[in-house]
Amino acid sequence: YTASGFTPVAFHASAREDVPAISYLGQETVEKHPVVTTWLLGSPLKINYDSVKVSEEMYGGFSDVRLGSIYPVVEGFKNTVAGGLRLNAGDQLGLHRIDLTASYSPTLHLAASERLHVIARYRSQGWGFTATYNRADFYDLFGPTKVSRKGYSLGITYKDVIFNDPPSSMDYAIALAGYGGLERLPDYQNVAASFDRFYTSSAHMSYKRVRKTLGGIEPEQGISWEVQGQGNLVRNTFFPRAVATLDAGTLLPISHSSIWLRLASGISRGERSEPFANFYLGGFGNNWVDYADVKRYRNYESFPGVSLNEIRGTNFAKATVEWTLPPVRFRRFGFPALYCTWAHAGLFASVVGTNVDDVPAQTTYGTVGGQVDMKIVSFSRLDMTISFGYARAAQRHARATEEWMVSLKIL
């Protein structure tokens, strides 16, 4: 068996007269230590199972939630550092889980009302409830993509799997949320909110049927799609939007190499001057230290080569062609405590058009680039991925820009 799958080999059939005797370690142990022959478990028929019952009580559900752990945390908020504690609790069956994180930024660069940061989550059987106040995040300490936001929010989600029959699966999710005290849009860090309060509802459904060959690093062929709808209610004005994506890939004659076509489009209703009515695209999206998917350039809101959230429009159409190269596996690259097992590269070219229904307002961008991911193992058990990316993008009749990306995924 090799990285390319099973490889046939041939053996010459011949009679052997010098076959060595087989040593049975169990028999050697008995001969050396005869006492082991007296170590018998006995018959299970002699056990009175009624006598081994320790206790019996009703499962109380949420009332059985107990404290699991408390530990210190460090987070980032608006380019400042916050310190605090995280609390985790749950029941023994794992049906109810609660986590609460509270931190404080001891800096005069923030207003007094922004120094306290709290996020509380409760999850149970597909349901999720989240409340935040000046949300902070650990990974905001490392890189351009930030999820910390001034203000407060309260949201509820429900997720479920329609079917999961590998290689096919389908799931869906619905969500409701309210936000207040905003400075920036929750999904777009570089876009100022036109109003500090709004309500949102969303729903999405996704399907995938993807496969990979023996020795493959990631899916190499198949199809996946996703549809999502969202509505934002801002000052009694409703802004609906919808997005659809489709990815299709096929194997190439080169081992473990495939070509993918990734399409995405979105439409929103509202004035183009209204931030809540626009889509925003741009950037790789990876942080220097991260936890999310390493290949974020595949997301529809990503567009490497330009700044985060630089491309905007009330509608867009995007197409990406990606060539995934065969992985390179290493027999010996590193040290026993830190070594690299493989490297995998991908090349891509994308084009996006916004405001396609209005010729004077149309914008078109193109980008080409690539990314190399290297799997690193530390202490023989902990997996990490370090990624290097580069892209060069240009708008029609405008000067080209470029972007470099380095990211370490630690979880």
Side-chain angles (χ1 to χ4, degrees):
Y1 179 76
T2 68
S4 300
F6 287 104
T7 301
V9 296
F11 293 95
H12 179 67
S14 61
R16 298 294 300 271
E17 302 293 341
D18 57 344
V19 179
I22 299 175
S23 298
Y24 293 98
L25 299 180
Q27 183 62 34
E28 292 181 359
T29 302
V30 170
E31 294 174 354
K32 188 175 182 180
H33 305 283
V35 68
V36 299
T37 60
T38 64
W39 296 353
L40 303 176
L41 293 177
S43 173
L45 297 177
K46 297 181 180 180
I47 300 175
N48 183 3
Y49 291 100
D50 293 333
S51 65
V52 300
K53 182 172 61 176
V54 178
S55 64
E56 181 177 313
E57 56 185 275
M58 294 294 294
Y59 170 66
F62 188 81
S63 62
D64 285 340
V65 172
R66 299 291 185 270
L67 177 64
S69 61
I70 299 178
Y71 51 86
V73 296
V74 177
E75 299 182 305
F77 180 83
K78 282 189 175 182
N79 298 318
T80 66
V81 179
L85 294 173
R86 171 162 173 153
L87 176 151
N88 297 291
D91 66 320
Q92 294 182 346
L93 296 181
L95 299 180
H96 302 274
R97 290 173 293 170
I98 299 173
D99 63 78
L100 172 66
T101 303
S103 60
Y104 185 81
S105 298
T107 175
L108 298 178
H109 294 91
L110 295 175
S113 60
E114 298 181 42
R115 297 174 190 170
L116 177 64
H117 319 290
V118 179
I119 179 167
R121 300 186 184 93
Y122 167 72
R123 287 161 288 178
S124 177
Q125 304 180 65
W127 291 96
F129 300 86
T130 304
T132 69
Y133 179 76
N134 294 331
R135 177 182 177 179
D137 190 88
F138 169 75
Y139 294 96
D140 278 18
L141 297 171
F142 309 98
T145 302
K146 300 184 182 297
V147 299
S148 60
R149 296 289 189 274
K150 175 191 173 183
Y152 55 88
S153 70
L154 181 64
I156 177 174
T157 61
Y158 180 75
K159 300 178 181 180
D160 198 6
V161 176
I162 299 175
F163 64 83
N164 186 13
D165 185 17
S168 302
S169 65
M170 177 179 284
D171 56 52
Y172 71 94
I174 55 177
L176 296 171
Y179 297 86
L182 292 177
E183 286 183 340
R184 303 283 173 172
L185 296 188
D187 296 328
Y188 306 114
Q189 66 187 62
N190 295 328
V191 182
S194 60
F195 193 63
D196 66 345
R197 296 190 306 275
F198 82 104
Y199 304 94
T200 181
S201 61
S202 63
H204 95 267
M205 179 178 293
S206 62
Y207 167 84
K208 66 178 180 180
R209 181 181 175 84
V210 293
R211 306 181 71 176
K212 64 179 180 180
T213 56
L214 290 174
I217 298 297
E218 63 175 2
E220 298 169 340
Q221 64 178 356
I223 187 172
S224 66
W225 55 259
E226 180 177 350
V227 292
Q228 56 180 285
Q230 182 179 4
N232 297 325
L233 181 62
V234 186
R235 289 184 294 186
N236 297 322
T237 302
F238 187 67
F239 299 98
R241 64 170 60 192
V243 177
T245 65
L246 173 65
D247 297 344
T250 184
L251 281 167
L252 296 177
I254 308 172
S255 179
H256 302 307
S257 181
S258 57
I259 192 80
W260 287 83
L261 176 63
R262 307 184 189 278
L263 305 176
S265 64
I267 186 171
S268 174
R269 296 292 301 274
E271 298 294 332
R272 293 194 174 96
S273 59
E274 173 56 59
F276 288 97
N278 281 268
F279 297 95
Y280 298 88
L281 297 82
F284 272 97
N286 303 65
N287 276 343
W288 304 321
V289 178
D290 215 327
Y291 71 98
D293 185 13
V294 296
K295 299 184 185 295
R296 299 230 199 135
Y297 63 82
R298 295 174 177 173
N299 298 342
Y300 82 84
E301 67 271 18
S302 173
F303 202 82
V306 301
S307 301
L308 289 168
N309 312 145
E310 179 178 336
I311 304 173
R312 61 177 291 172
T314 55
N315 56 70
F316 74 93
K318 178 183 175 184
T320 301
V321 177
E322 180 185 0
W323 176 27
T324 59
L325 280 67
V328 177
R329 297 183 181 273
F330 304 104
R331 289 187 176 182
R332 182 174 298 177
F333 184 14
F335 310 94
L338 185 68
Y339 58 90
C340 180
T341 58
W342 51 256
H344 189 219
L347 304 175
F348 58 85
S350 300
V351 60
V352 63
T354 63
N355 300 324
V356 295
D357 59 336
D358 186 355
V359 175
Q362 281 183 7
T363 58
T364 303
Y365 288 80
T367 184
V368 293
Q371 181 171 317
V372 177
D373 306 309
M374 303 178 69
K375 177 66 71 175
I376 298 175
V377 181
S378 59
F379 303 108
S380 301
R381 296 183 61 87
L382 303 178
D383 291 344
M384 300 182 293
T385 305
I386 185 168
S387 302
F388 305 92
Y390 171 79
R392 187 175 179 85
Q395 184 182 3
R396 181 184 299 178
H397 308 307
R399 184 177 175 180
T401 58
E402 60 183 11
E403 179 184 7
W404 293 90
M405 183 272 293
V406 177
S407 177
L408 176 66
K409 180 179 178 180
I410 59 176
L411 295 176

